[in-house]
Amino acid sequence: MVAIVVSLASALFTAAASPSSSTNLLTKLRFAPSLRLSFAVTPLGYIRGGKLMAHTIARATLGLTQPSDIEPLKISFAAKEIDVTEWKGDILAVGVTEKDLTKDENSKFENPILKKLDSHLGGLLAEASSEEDFTGKAGQSTVLRLPGLGSKRVGLIGLGQSASTAAAFRGLGEAVAAAAKAAQASDVAIVLASSEGLSAESKLSTASAIVSGTVLGTHEDNRYKTESKKSNLKSVDILGLGSGPELEKKLKYAEDLSSGIIFGKELVNSPANVLTPGVLAEEASKIAAAYSDVLSAKILNEEQCVELKMGSYLGVAAASANPPHFIHLTYKPPSGPVKTKLALVGKGLTFDSGGYNIKTGPGSSIELMKFDMGGSAAVLGAAKALGQIKPPGVEVHFIVAACENMISGTGMRPGDIVTASNGKTIEVNNTDAEGRLTLADALVYASNQGVEKIVDLATLTGACVIALGPSIAGVFTPSDDLATEVLTASEAGGEKLWRLPLEDSYWESMKSGIADMVNTGGRQGGAITAALFLKQFVDEKIQWMHIDLAGPVWNDKKRSATGFGISTLVEWVVKNSS
């Protein structure tokens, strides 16, 4: 009997090295009799001991839930230069500012495009907009079925007082997608009432943002629903922003970026009983396989992480029946020299119970802790987009230390000391400050890849949400140059970041009496002390930034993930490639 147990345990250890082989073995054993597997592995902080994988077999079928394989909606985008009155289709959507709706003394539009449309409609558009009390404010929209044009409907979409940001034009695309779904429209055109003042570069970025918003606005994550209403949208024409190869290339870029954002959103939306650390690693491997001309995957199992002395990361993983998986994807351009090497590191807690410092009470949001891998979703979503975009001249390492923070007899206790892979010791005074422990070893690993710049993303602190609210991510970096690069990329990507100080004097609260440091420094300045903790694990010669996206990772109103961070990362990498 002992020989059988040891043999099976060995097989399971081997399977854990490969997500796919692990899945096959679990399938074979899914309905096997209950097994007790036990062998001692110490010390805590290097490897999980005790029950090992017997519970993983049961966990593989927890809830019997599997996501449906839904074919993504395919929309054809085209840039055209034709008269708006000649376009034929279901909805002609016009993006208008409050100024565009100005009327003369005869209640006629002064804006040339609205004036032309209204003339063809016999004044009905001006009349209807007044009756609908449509003023062009951001978030306002009205879709009218009016005879007299080639289009069945005319939609007016409010852009506010002015529109010049990627976020505003992405919002336009999302509003058009919502209108198309409500009307079950197949063919849509989008035009700005005022585009004559835009530069050639602005027209490219505006068209890109509109396309991205339309794709994201059309997408609904229905993988876990038995019934859902699908959009009929098949084609979208962008009017008045030019045409030609450069614009077509930009539209393709927007579609590739959007596919990465959707992938990231679906990762975060997936429940923890489906998206385990092993499944996250499997999804990462699938990305590398799909774009194998530029991407490769390396998945480290638990034993390999022990060899690398990742005690901080493994200490967090110790309590879970689902083994940790350390994910490393590498992007290399299809041709030409590599001029810049970058690393993107994402926090990958597929579920965070808080450990022995368990999350309790109203506001703890334990039921939403599947989104604690939002940083890894941003990193892997960026990998998917970049695998399609294929920027030249840049090498990118995508790194995720994936695991769960659970509670069991093998788990890390408050007061334990773990040793990170750079040799630094950490007194764990709070097991719910686990993300920074996993990132510590991930940042050491990233620093060893020969990169010049590292950006890490994590749903790290509630303190950052208190400081900046639900829509803005906090940024920490000692490098002004890197701050400028990433903040510029975030503006182009339509995402909100705000730089917060790395106040070195706050490190005093992070000192331990018996180890090199503790993992939390109290409530005051919690987002800052968390960033200072991460700084201890990055080579000083490397430019580094930490992004705390605990607020914007999730949309409470929509009860869904946002895909935050992916646009910024992709824009940043592409800028570095040039």
Side-chain angles (χ1 to χ4, degrees):
M1 179 62 182
V2 174
I4 294 173
V5 170
V6 173
S7 176
L8 180 55
S10 176
L12 285 167
F13 247 137
T14 302
S18 166
S20 57
S21 61
S22 175
T23 302
N24 292 337
L25 182 56
L26 292 178
T27 302
K28 294 175 184 177
L29 295 175
R30 186 166 291 171
F31 301 106
S34 178
L35 301 170
R36 290 181 62 84
L37 307 180
S38 179
F39 42 102
V41 276
T42 56
L44 176 65
Y46 284 102
I47 190 166
R48 185 179 68 255
K51 54 190 180 304
L52 191 65
M53 299 261 305
H55 293 282
T56 306
I57 297 169
R59 187 66 183 267
T61 58
L62 182 60
L64 301 178
T65 301
Q66 293 295 332
S68 300
D69 190 10
I70 298 176
E71 189 71 24
L73 185 67
K74 292 181 180 179
I75 306 172
S76 171
F77 291 92
K80 297 180 179 179
E81 285 288 1
I82 62 172
D83 193 296
V84 290
T85 59
E86 296 176 3
W87 183 84
K88 291 180 173 56
D90 295 322
I91 300 177
L92 174 65
V94 187
V96 295
T97 64
E98 294 176 37
K99 183 181 177 181
D100 292 332
L101 291 171
T102 303
K103 296 173 184 173
D104 60 22
E105 63 276 4
N106 298 316
S107 297
K108 301 291 185 182
F109 288 118
E110 293 182 356
N111 176 273
I113 286 182
L114 293 179
K115 188 173 185 178
K116 179 180 285 189
L117 284 171
D118 200 36
S119 174
H120 277 74
L121 294 168
L124 287 175
L125 185 61
E127 185 179 318
S129 66
S130 297
E131 291 178 358
E132 294 280 336
D133 195 26
F134 180 83
T135 60
K137 290 181 179 178
Q140 270 192 326
S141 64
T142 183
V143 179
L144 310 164
R145 183 153 190 155
L146 299 172
L149 289 174
S151 57
K152 296 178 182 177
R153 295 173 178 83
V154 177
L156 299 179
I157 312 296
L159 297 174
Q161 290 186 342
S162 63
S164 58
T165 65
F169 294 123
R170 183 178 284 185
L172 170 61
E174 290 177 355
V176 171
K181 184 176 181 181
Q184 288 295 289
S186 297
D187 308 303
V188 170
I190 304 174
V191 64
L192 297 180
S194 299
S195 61
E196 62 280 352
L198 295 176
S199 66
E201 184 62 32
S202 294
K203 286 184 178 181
L204 290 175
S205 58
T206 297
S208 176
I210 291 172
V211 168
S212 183
T214 306
V215 175
L216 297 175
T218 304
H219 172 259
E220 284 190 30
D221 192 352
N222 295 321
R223 295 169 300 153
Y224 300 96
K225 294 180 180 180
T226 53
E227 294 181 8
S228 60
K229 184 180 179 182
K230 295 181 180 179
S231 173
N232 289 335
L233 191 58
K234 291 184 175 62
S235 72
V236 176
D237 292 335
I238 309 295
L239 308 182
L241 292 177
S243 59
E246 277 299 307
L247 189 50
E248 289 173 11
K249 183 179 177 182
K250 198 67 175 178
L251 299 187
K252 175 66 167 55
Y253 172 89
E255 292 183 70
D256 293 339
L257 172 61
S258 299
S259 73
I261 296 173
I262 288 170
F263 177 70
K265 290 173 70 171
E266 291 188 346
L267 286 179
V268 177
N269 284 338
S270 291
N273 62 323
V274 173
L275 191 78
T276 60
V279 172
L280 185 61
E282 202 168 341
E283 291 298 322
S285 296
K286 287 178 183 176
I287 296 171
Y291 309 105
S292 58
D293 57 329
V294 290
L295 284 172
S296 60
K298 181 179 182 181
I299 310 297
L300 304 182
N301 65 15
E302 193 167 15
E303 286 182 306
Q304 292 169 308
C305 292
V306 172
E307 291 172 9
L308 292 173
K309 299 182 179 180
M310 295 182 176
S312 185
Y313 164 45
L314 293 171
V316 176
S320 177
N322 288 311
H325 289 71
F326 193 94
I327 301 164
H328 179 194
L329 301 186
T330 303
Y331 169 87
K332 292 186 178 181
S335 62
V338 170
K339 299 176 183 178
T340 307
K341 293 184 179 181
L342 312 173
L344 303 177
V345 179
K347 176 182 172 184
L349 268 293
T350 58
F351 187 77
D352 175 25
S353 70
Y356 278 107
N357 292 104
I358 190 170
K359 297 177 185 290
T360 57
S364 70
S365 300
I366 191 170
E367 75 282 0
L368 287 176
M369 282 303 113
K370 64 179 183 178
F371 73 38
D372 214 19
M373 40 64 67
S376 67
V379 166
L380 296 178
K384 185 180 193 304
L386 292 166
Q388 298 170 82
I389 295 167
K390 300 179 181 17
V394 64
E395 178 178 305
V396 190
H397 297 266
F398 308 88
I399 296 164
V400 174
C403 65
E404 290 182 318
N405 185 27
M406 302 297 283
I407 302 173
S408 77
T410 64
M412 183 173 62
R413 295 149 293 219
D416 283 353
I417 295 176
V418 295
T419 305
S421 48
N422 64 348
K424 293 187 178 182
T425 57
I426 306 157
E427 181 186 0
V428 181
N429 60 5
N430 188 333
T431 61
D432 194 23
E434 83 303 326
R436 64 197 69 181
L437 296 175
T438 66
L439 286 169
D441 283 322
L443 287 168
V444 172
Y445 183 93
S447 296
N448 291 333
Q449 303 308 309
V451 299
E452 298 150 42
K453 304 171 188 177
I454 298 174
V455 173
D456 79 69
L457 302 94
T459 49
L460 207 63
T461 67
C464 200
V465 184
I466 297 300
L468 298 178
S471 303
I472 305 170
V475 168
F476 303 84
T477 179
S479 169
D480 292 340
D481 290 342
L482 186 57
T484 299
E485 283 183 21
V486 176
L487 290 170
T488 301
S490 74
E491 290 177 12
E495 296 179 323
K496 296 179 181 179
L497 304 182
W498 190 264
R499 190 179 182 186
L500 294 169
L502 269 174
E503 178 55 53
D504 287 330
S505 66
Y506 289 6
W507 182 247
E508 191 66 29
S509 68
M510 298 293 288
K511 292 181 178 177
S512 166
I514 55 174
D516 292 330
M517 66 194 82
V518 291
N519 69 325
T520 65
R523 291 176 62 84
Q524 293 183 331
I528 297 174
T529 54
L532 289 170
F533 178 91
L534 296 179
K535 187 183 176 188
Q536 311 308 308
F537 303 93
V538 181
D539 190 315
E540 291 182 356
K541 298 174 185 175
I542 298 172
Q543 291 185 62
W544 160 76
M545 172 182 283
H546 162 59
I547 300 176
D548 191 331
L549 44 73
V553 72
W554 188 258
N555 186 316
D556 280 325
K557 186 176 180 180
K558 295 182 179 179
R559 299 178 183 178
S560 179
T562 61
F564 188 92
I566 297 170
S567 291
T568 297
L569 293 182
V570 172
E571 289 282 347
W572 179 63
V573 170
V574 169
K575 286 288 191 297
N576 270 272
S577 75
S578 58

